[in-house]
Amino acid sequence: MTVSDPVVEDVVTTISRSATEIRQGLIGRRGTVEGENPSGDTQAEADVWADELLGDRIAGIDGVGQYASEERADIVDCGDDPAASAAYAVAVDPLDGSSNLKSNNTMGTIFGVYDAALPARGDTLVAAGYVLYGPITTMVIATDDTVSEYELTGGERTIVERDVTLPAEPVVYGFGGRVPDWPADFREYAREIERELKLRYGGALIGDVNQVLTYGGTFGYPALESRPEGKLRLQFEGNPIGYVVEQAGGRSSNGTQSLLTVDPDELHDRTPLHVGNDDLIDRLESTVA
Ligand code: AFP
């Protein structure tokens, strides 16, 4: 099943076809490189390699005017006229959860296709999604029409579920950061949720969010006492994941508002990130607001 917008379809196909290569390329690239990414995080060899691979391919797509990555300080202007009104901007987290490489746990590739120059609000997204490197490689693609899930084999994608929606009854939760570093109001909310749902936290946003999309519940990486701006990046993680979950009938929040309505200042802005069933996010906002 293809996406109706031909440029978005090209982006999605480029990522899905690269995913098989990325998964294979993780072998032998599990070490870290000198230096840090623009957010100050340690980089795995695979982070840099996946970014170079995806950057070259996505920047070459007609209709893409900008490429930006969690691993690069600056935006890459692509094509003849990057500022062309018809041009989309593609933001990518090439390898989300790369610290899971060492422990051989789930990881992902996250993408967002913005109909605006970066840094952009999440409500300018026309498509977003992720590849999940789990026991099998799957891909979730959200557009303004629907959310679909695919299995990826041999560079091709096979639809496994159309119109993916968050299950009405929440089952799982996962919260990042350390408990002593959670603000008191979030700790109060977390204590309630812990008594109601099952803990599922794997250390990679994509793996944890995919559990919420599959079983219902909530994932959060809250504002911390030591880091009130949160850990996760708005352009590369918050907006794309917020878009997917909202398109699937759930909600996203930075603690006070939908992630998709946050006005960005900088390309690598961080944000508190909460996604999941409506009533769980409503309860979060009423507790921490
Ligand atoms: P890495 O890409 O450095 O592994 O970070 C993964 C991540 O950005 C996101 O995927 C996780 O939800 C979150 O960080 C995990 O953070 P903690 O290591 O603090 O639990």
Side-chain angles (χ1 to χ4, degrees):
M1 187 176 110
T2 60
V3 172
S4 56
D5 180 316
V7 178
V8 173
E9 176 55 33
D10 277 355
V11 171
V12 165
T13 299
T14 299
I15 293 170
S16 66
R17 288 181 176 162
S18 301
T20 310
E21 206 172 335
I22 288 172
R23 184 174 192 128
Q24 191 56 39
L26 297 177
I27 297 167
R29 294 188 173 89
R30 300 173 69 181
T32 54
V33 297
E34 290 293 312
E36 301 168 334
N37 71 9
S39 302
D41 300 335
T42 305
Q43 286 181 304
E45 292 167 76
D47 282 318
V48 177
W49 174 75
D51 174 47
E52 286 167 0
L53 183 144
L54 288 172
D56 291 346
R57 294 175 182 175
I58 291 173
I61 296 173
D62 279 344
V64 172
Q66 291 183 315
Y67 171 83
S69 153
E70 194 177 287
E71 306 306 332
R72 297 182 195 216
D74 304 315
I75 295 165
V76 176
D77 284 332
C78 327
D80 303 331
D81 177 6
S85 57
Y88 287 139
V90 179
V92 174
D93 181 356
L95 219 44
D96 170 67
S98 53
S99 57
N100 275 357
L101 256 179
K102 192 171 178 181
S103 56
N104 192 29
N105 289 102
T106 52
M107 301 167 58
T109 294
I110 310 172
F111 71 93
V113 183
Y114 294 84
D115 189 8
L118 298 177
R121 277 172 51 129
D123 53 17
T124 65
L125 283 165
V126 295
Y130 55 85
V131 175
L132 174 57
Y133 306 105
I136 55 175
T137 309
T138 55
M139 186 171 194
V140 168
I141 301 167
T143 63
D144 290 347
D145 305 325
T146 187
V147 181
S148 303
E149 184 183 17
Y150 302 83
E151 284 180 357
L152 305 188
T153 46
E156 295 310 318
R157 62 183 204 263
T158 310
I159 186 91
V160 291
E161 187 174 353
R162 287 181 175 75
D163 301 328
V164 175
T165 52
L166 217 59
E169 279 312 307
V171 174
V172 298
Y173 78 94
F175 297 142
R178 290 182 172 80
V179 175
D181 205 5
W182 290 346
D185 51 14
F186 180 76
R187 219 168 20 246
E188 175 195 336
Y189 167 74
R191 289 288 170 262
E192 280 178 30
I193 299 299
E194 286 164 353
R195 285 195 290 270
E196 297 168 24
L197 305 180
K198 288 198 293 187
L199 173 60
R200 287 292 184 273
Y201 188 81
L205 173 65
I206 291 309
D208 298 328
V209 167
N210 205 57
Q211 294 249 26
V212 170
L213 204 57
T214 306
Y215 298 115
T218 186
F219 170 84
Y221 205 111
L224 303 175
E225 296 288 5
S226 63
R227 196 180 233 178
E229 73 280 7
K231 174 184 182 183
L232 302 180
R233 277 60 44 150
L234 180 65
Q235 296 295 301
F236 307 103
E237 294 162 316
N239 283 337
I241 295 308
Y243 180 83
V244 168
V245 174
E246 291 195 12
Q247 289 301 101
R251 282 199 57 202
S252 78
S253 178
N254 64 355
T256 55
Q257 64 190 87
S258 164
L259 289 166
L260 307 187
T261 64
V262 174
D263 290 313
D265 294 318
E266 306 288 337
L267 181 64
H268 295 282
D269 280 355
R270 294 178 188 271
T271 180
L273 183 155
H274 302 275
V275 290
N277 290 78
D278 285 7
D279 64 304
L280 296 176
I281 302 301
D282 291 346
R283 285 164 59 184
L284 166 90
E285 289 188 342
S286 59
T287 308
V288 304

